[in-house]
Amino acid sequence: MNQVSATLSSAVALGTPLVLAAMGGLVNKRGGIVNIGLEGKMLTGAFVAVLVAWKVGDPWLATLCAGWAGAAVAVPFTLVITRLNANEIIVGLGFNVLVAGLIGYLLPVAFGVYGSLNPSNLPGLPELTIPLLDRVPVLKALSGQTILTYLALASVPATAWFLSSTTAGIRLRAAGENLAAARSAGIDPLGWRDTSTVIAGLFAGLAGAQLSIGIVNLFTVGMTAGRGYIALAAFYFGAARPWPTAAAAFLFALVDAIQVRLPGNDLPPQVGDMLPYVAVLAALITVAIARKRRERLLGAL
Amino acid sequence: MEAGTAVQQPLPRLTAGSAAAVARILLPFLSALALGAVVLWLSGRDALHVYWLLAQHSLGDRTSLANTLAQTTPVLLTGLATAFAFRAGVFNIGVEGSLYLGAFAAAWLGFTFVHLAGPLLIAAALAFAGLAGALFALAPAVLKTRLDVDEVVTTLMFNFIAIGLTSYLVNGPYLATGTANSMSPLVANQGSLPILAAPSQLTIGILIALGTTILYWLVFARTTAGYELRTVGQTRRFAAASGISTARSIMIAFLGSGFIGGIAGGIQILGVNHRFIDHFSPGYGFTGIAVALLGRNTALGCLLAALFFGALANGGATVQLFTNIPLELINVLQGTVMIFAVVELGRARRGA
């Protein structure tokens, strides 16, 4: 494999957790909650995936359990927000600190290791080769990926369809836009908000599995490395629409992969690390300026 | 999102009928200790004994008390920085970023102007740190006041940019020669903050932090600017109707918050690290959010909350050393405090 296709392939692998988490965060945002806790849910998924793969030996079951674990921790998270009126931003930040603390505490107490869990012969998710596709230039980066990559790819149109064309999706969006209006239309808005958070937890948990048993075969406490926040940047950049969000997530992953893979590039790694955050700020500023201009034009009429 | 009202929870008056108010203050504190106890108990530890050890190793004798105060210093300042913004209804979660830029600014001045006399060097470095922190807060402030861009997302993103930027500076142009990666040159010797109580790490930084606490109290209790900030925090419409410039107040809230955050970083460098180290903060800015929330944005509240977290950080490190109880337990407590500090019991559900 030459440099370019290796870089692309690595971008697809790295983009998978970002797309998954961003889709979850997007559904949550449309359901009315800004989920800062994606990072913690991803870390939970990554940890549970390694644990199950190690103890049971089945990476498929491990992936399922990672998704469930992400969804499970999302339940108390969302109830505190919707039923106890806690501020979602603070709860998200606190949740991330709490999860990292719990897992960091558990590692030495239960397994006698600090910071990382690296069992020998850990069964990872197999890389699936797609016949024919693996011979097409460029597109062959999509072959030889884990099941989660194909799930991430499928999740983009699925999310778009779910939000725009299903009753559940429309109710979820109604709950996200206006609690009172949704309630008067006979929708249980808080229930739908909770549902959207649980979906986000499921997606973030799967994203974690890709990190720990998809890309590398171990768990470290720092392995999410701010990817929950990059996913947040992606769906803010994509204005909570599935295709632009996925495109942003993939772009961030591509820059990440180029940094790691291409030798001799003069770009300091910190500059690439900052890119998602600069990009989302630029997007927010552009939208705000456009809005101001529109308001001024309307005012001039 | 009307973020201001969600974090604007002033200390309620403690009258006979305010049992609920007391409960609201104690809830985060007690639920954190309870969850910590469950975690300890599940891992086969005697929670009461561990808490007793924590108290002993953080408050038991003169040196451990001094070390607790040393750990209190950064989180008291980041707590006040956060509270300063929260009080005005400005949801600045970018204090961590201000802390990083302030820290770098102080270190830069300290290793560049090595011939300045000690007191002058320290004063200049801290002033520069504050300015850097405030300058950093200027960007989200302008975006908020001019373009009405929600500060929650911008300040969160700016944090990562500050950490990335300082990381670039210290790995690139300002990497100290002949050292391991990611460190700036050392600050000139005379630029170290004087130690108050050897053998502890307690420096005059704590005095600056306590002075800032008193100043914070004075501003909100005695000055017109403080009154305006509070009013803007409580109801923007009422403030505007009574002739207060909300844009100006929001700007002051951001700049003040950033300035204090920058000072926090500067003190950490001059007092503890003596050089800028990449990713040096274990999340002081985020602990500051917990401090502001637990302290209900009041001066006394922040002081008590900062002491609590300072004691945990100091006691936790010692307890980890002697009993093998992982330091991460403290993050469990801190995360729980943050979550339960924003829970609103028995309140009507907010509409959206």
Side-chain angles (χ1 to χ4, degrees):
Chain A
M1 240 197 298
N2 62 33
Q3 280 294 346
V4 174
S5 52
T7 305
L8 270 180
S9 176
S10 144
V12 172
L14 288 168
T16 297
L18 290 184
V19 170
L20 283 170
M23 282 305 126
L26 179 159
V27 170
N28 215 175
K29 177 90 165 47
R30 299 295 282 269
I33 292 175
V34 176
N35 194 333
I36 306 276
L38 290 172
E39 183 87 358
K41 296 179 180 91
M42 219 191 267
L43 195 66
T44 307
F47 181 63
V48 168
V50 164
L51 216 54
V52 175
W54 176 32
K55 294 293 180 189
V56 183
D58 184 348
W60 304 97
L61 183 69
T63 304
L64 272 181
C65 288
W68 287 335
V73 293
V75 173
F77 175 86
T78 192
L79 289 180
V80 171
I81 294 169
T82 59
R83 313 297 153 144
L84 298 178
N85 292 310
N87 178 291
E88 65 214 54
I89 307 296
I90 302 288
V91 172
L93 291 171
F95 177 80
N96 292 341
V97 173
L98 175 61
V99 168
L102 275 177
I103 295 177
Y105 179 87
L106 201 63
L107 283 177
V109 167
F111 307 106
V113 290
Y114 276 93
S116 67
L117 190 58
N118 191 7
S120 52
N121 301 323
L122 187 71
L125 277 173
E127 290 169 357
L128 309 172
T129 306
I130 313 278
L132 296 179
L133 190 67
D134 61 341
R135 293 192 207 151
V136 183
V138 181
L139 284 182
K140 70 181 171 191
L142 291 174
S143 177
Q145 303 286 353
T146 68
I147 180 91
L148 287 169
T149 296
Y150 307 109
L151 196 68
L153 284 173
S155 77
V156 184
T159 304
W161 172 77
F162 169 75
L163 287 174
S164 67
S165 312
T166 66
T167 317
I170 290 162
R171 288 192 172 152
L172 190 147
R173 283 193 290 137
E177 264 158 37
N178 192 319
L179 277 185
R183 200 172 279 131
S184 63
I187 295 169
D188 167 23
L190 295 182
W192 282 105
R193 288 195 169 184
D194 293 335
T195 308
S196 74
T197 316
V198 172
I199 294 174
L202 175 78
F203 275 76
L206 292 173
Q210 168 74 1
L211 287 178
S212 67
I213 60 170
I215 299 176
V216 290
N217 247 11
L218 65 114
F219 172 82
T220 67
V221 182
M223 86 182 319
T224 47
R227 285 189 173 85
Y229 296 101
I230 297 178
L232 182 87
F235 70 73
Y236 263 93
F237 189 82
R241 285 169 300 159
W243 289 105
T245 298
F250 182 71
L251 179 75
F252 298 155
L254 185 65
V255 172
D256 199 9
I258 287 174
Q259 291 196 141
V260 178
R261 285 275 175 170
L262 287 186
N265 70 72
D266 287 333
L267 199 71
Q270 294 85 8
V271 175
D273 290 347
M274 284 190 279
L275 177 90
Y277 311 114
V278 175
V280 76
L281 284 171
L284 289 175
I285 292 166
T286 313
V287 169
I289 288 174
R291 192 182 57 217
K292 280 276 159 188
R293 189 168 296 159
R294 206 161 49 233
E295 280 168 10
R296 206 171 303 141
L297 282 175
L298 284 175
L301 282 177
Chain B
M1 177 185 352
E2 188 61 53
T5 51
V7 287
Q8 177 76 26
Q9 296 165 332
L11 198 69
R13 220 173 273 275
L14 302 180
T15 52
S18 63
V22 177
R24 267 177 60 189
I25 295 169
L26 286 180
L27 176 77
F29 184 70
L30 293 179
S31 36
L33 289 181
L35 184 68
V38 170
V39 170
L40 284 166
W41 177 72
L42 284 178
S43 56
R45 311 279 186 162
D46 178 353
L48 279 180
H49 179 63
V50 173
Y51 287 155
W52 171 242
L53 278 180
L54 273 173
Q56 229 176 359
H57 286 294
S58 56
L59 311 165
D61 59 69
R62 190 170 161 275
T63 305
S64 44
L65 196 62
N67 278 326
T68 287
L69 289 175
Q71 296 279 3
T72 301
T73 307
V75 295
L76 174 55
L77 283 164
T78 54
L80 291 171
T82 308
F84 191 83
F86 279 8
R87 198 90 183 253
V90 169
F91 208 160
N92 179 18
I93 49 180
V95 170
E96 181 84 352
S98 289
L99 175 110
Y100 267 92
L101 287 188
F104 188 83
W108 178 82
L109 207 127
F111 65 68
T112 306
F113 297 95
V114 290
H115 298 301
L116 286 181
L120 187 62
L121 183 60
I122 290 171
L126 290 184
F128 194 43
L131 282 179
L135 192 69
F136 174 71
L138 186 64
V142 168
L143 290 177
K144 172 79 181 174
T145 53
R146 291 291 163 89
L147 294 174
D148 204 23
V149 181
D150 179 39
E151 73 270 29
V152 174
V153 183
T154 54
T155 52
L156 189 65
M157 298 295 147
F158 272 119
N159 275 338
F160 291 105
I161 293 175
I163 295 171
L165 183 69
T166 52
S167 176
Y168 164 71
L169 288 172
V170 80
N171 282 295
Y174 294 104
L175 177 64
T177 43
T179 57
N181 269 345
S182 322
M183 284 184 187
S184 79
L186 279 166
V187 170
N189 269 335
Q190 74 275 21
S192 292
L193 295 181
I195 299 257
L196 276 184
S200 80
Q201 286 199 317
L202 186 65
T203 66
I204 62 160
I206 187 67
L207 301 180
I208 300 171
L210 289 173
T212 310
T213 313
I214 294 168
L215 213 60
Y216 178 92
W217 176 78
L218 275 176
V219 164
F220 283 105
R222 292 279 184 273
T223 68
T224 318
Y227 169 77
E228 291 186 356
L229 285 174
R230 267 188 300 149
T231 311
V232 169
Q234 274 154 8
T235 46
R236 280 197 190 147
R237 272 201 193 145
F238 173 76
S242 41
I244 297 170
S245 160
T246 51
R248 202 179 67 118
S249 288
I250 290 172
M251 189 58 88
I252 292 174
F254 265 115
L255 295 182
S257 177
F259 190 85
I260 306 172
I263 296 266
I267 288 179
Q268 199 60 18
I269 297 306
L270 300 188
V272 180
N273 296 333
H274 308 294
R275 63 184 349 154
F276 185 88
I277 303 169
D278 195 8
H279 290 88
F280 77 97
S281 163
Y284 292 130
F286 296 107
T287 310
I289 297 173
V291 166
L293 291 168
L294 198 57
R296 302 272 153 186
N297 303 335
T298 64
L300 181 64
C302 285
L303 178 60
L304 293 175
L307 276 169
F308 172 65
F309 283 112
L312 275 181
N314 175 35
T318 323
V319 166
Q320 165 164 285
L321 218 58
F322 290 127
T323 63
N324 258 332
I325 289 172
L327 193 57
E328 274 76 8
L329 181 67
I330 288 161
N331 288 334
V332 175
L333 300 181
Q334 185 190 324
T336 315
V337 162
M338 287 176 77
I339 293 170
F340 282 91
V342 285
V343 157
E344 294 180 24
L345 292 175
R347 281 262 200 110
R349 280 180 190 149
R350 63 162 186 242

